[in-house]
Amino acid sequence: MKKSILLFSSALFLSFAAHAQTSYGIKAGMNLAKLSNVDNSMEDYQKNNLSFYLTGFADIPVASQFSIQPGISLQGKGEKYSIDETIANAKVDGSARLNILSIEIPVNAVYWIPAGPGKVYVGAGPYIGFNIDAKVKTDGDVTLEIIGDGDKDELDLEIGKDKDINVVDAGMNFLAGYKLNNGFLINAGYGLGFTKILTDGDKRSSRVFNLGIGYQF
């Protein structure tokens, strides 16, 4: 499946790369990230992990209101758990974050709708990502003692087969926004991961909502 997504993305990019009306753009903003299939005992403590994204893309028109957008993106993902309650007459207040940095290659099909001084756009398409960095960070009363690192508040995780984090994160993108006639973009999106992020345990995939701005040249 991973190979199929990559081959599909490459084929679309090569098919349209030479189109004369191709334009280019950049988008950046915030990510609100989680992992799916959280354990029932931890569900009340799971929060959005605030991170960022930075994306460069090409917009390749293939019809009057339809285009293909291949790109490359730096994505901050992961998850967060936060606790603030009294347990056994003791106040417990702290958090733990899993921060994952990924390089993604998305290829989106985009439909444009003229509206006022610009265009509304909606789109979707596959992405394949490669996780390049992962860390666990804790603060407050939450520590890493449970995994043998109680004297630390940050731990680097290993990426690769039979390690902590899998290399590949593939899935689907969904996007919507508004482009002004001067090129300014307001955009939102959602990343639905299909692949397993943590190497052990149940299958837990990325879920990322993003909101940001950009400019299309």
Side-chain angles (χ1 to χ4, degrees), residues 139-198:
D139 61 35
D141 298 321
V142 178
T143 71
L144 294 171
E145 185 175 3
I146 192 171
I147 53 176
D149 291 273
D151 60 336
K152 300 179 181 180
D153 59 9
E154 182 173 314
L155 177 68
D156 290 326
L157 301 181
E158 294 185 303
I159 298 173
K161 186 178 180 181
D162 300 323
K163 295 186 178 180
D164 302 306
I165 305 292
N166 284 314
V167 174
V168 174
D169 175 11
M172 285 288 295
N173 282 315
F174 302 91
L175 63 151
Y178 190 78
K179 176 190 172 186
L180 293 170
N181 290 332
N182 62 7
F184 183 77
L185 301 167
I186 301 171
N187 48 266
Y190 186 74
L192 179 66
F194 295 156
T195 55
K196 185 177 180 181
I197 297 299
L198 308 179

Side-chain angles (χ1 to χ4, degrees), residues 4 15 20 38-39 45-46 54 68 73 92 108 150 184 190 204:
S4 298
S15 296
V38 62
D39 187 270
Y45 305 110
Q46 189 187 43
L54 177 64
I68 300 295
S73 185
V92 180
N108 294 308
F184 183 77
Y190 186 74
R204 305 194 62 210

Side-chain angles (χ1 to χ4, degrees), residues 15-174:
S15 296
F16 301 114
H19 197 283
Q21 296 179 5
T22 298
S23 60
Y24 300 91
I26 188 169
K27 297 185 286 188
M30 70 172 184
N31 280 349
L32 298 174
K34 290 184 177 182
L35 295 183
S36 65
N37 296 329
V38 62
D39 187 270
N40 289 338
S41 64
M42 298 297 292
E43 191 170 2
D44 290 340
Y45 305 110
Q46 189 187 43
K47 310 297 180 183
N48 287 308
N49 188 32
L50 179 62
S51 192
F52 74 97
Y53 73 93
L54 177 64
T55 302
F57 66 93
D59 184 80
I60 306 166
V62 293
S64 61
Q65 293 179 240
F66 182 75
S67 66
I68 300 295
Q69 287 188 356
I72 186 166
S73 185
L74 187 64
Q75 294 276 347
K77 300 184 178 183
E79 63 178 345
K80 176 184 177 181
Y81 294 92
S82 181
I83 185 170
D84 181 8
E85 58 186 58
T86 300
I87 301 176
N89 296 319
K91 180 72 171 178
V92 180
D93 184 5
S95 66
R97 296 173 183 266
L98 169 61
N99 294 321
I100 300 174
L101 191 62
S102 179
I103 295 176
E104 285 186 5
I105 302 172
V107 179
N108 294 308
V110 182
Y111 184 70
W112 301 87
I113 306 166
K119 297 178 180 178
V120 173
Y121 64 88
V122 293
Y127 75 84
I128 184 165
F130 302 94
N131 297 318
I132 59 173
D133 188 68
K135 290 182 174 65
V136 173
K137 294 184 177 182
T138 66
D139 61 35
D141 298 321
V142 178
T143 71
L144 294 171
E145 185 175 3
I146 192 171
I147 53 176
D149 291 273
D151 60 336
K152 300 179 181 180
D153 59 9
E154 182 173 314
L155 177 68
D156 290 326
L157 301 181
E158 294 185 303
I159 298 173
K161 186 178 180 181
D162 300 323
K163 295 186 178 180
D164 302 306
I165 305 292
N166 284 314
V167 174
V168 174
D169 175 11
M172 285 288 295
N173 282 315
F174 302 91

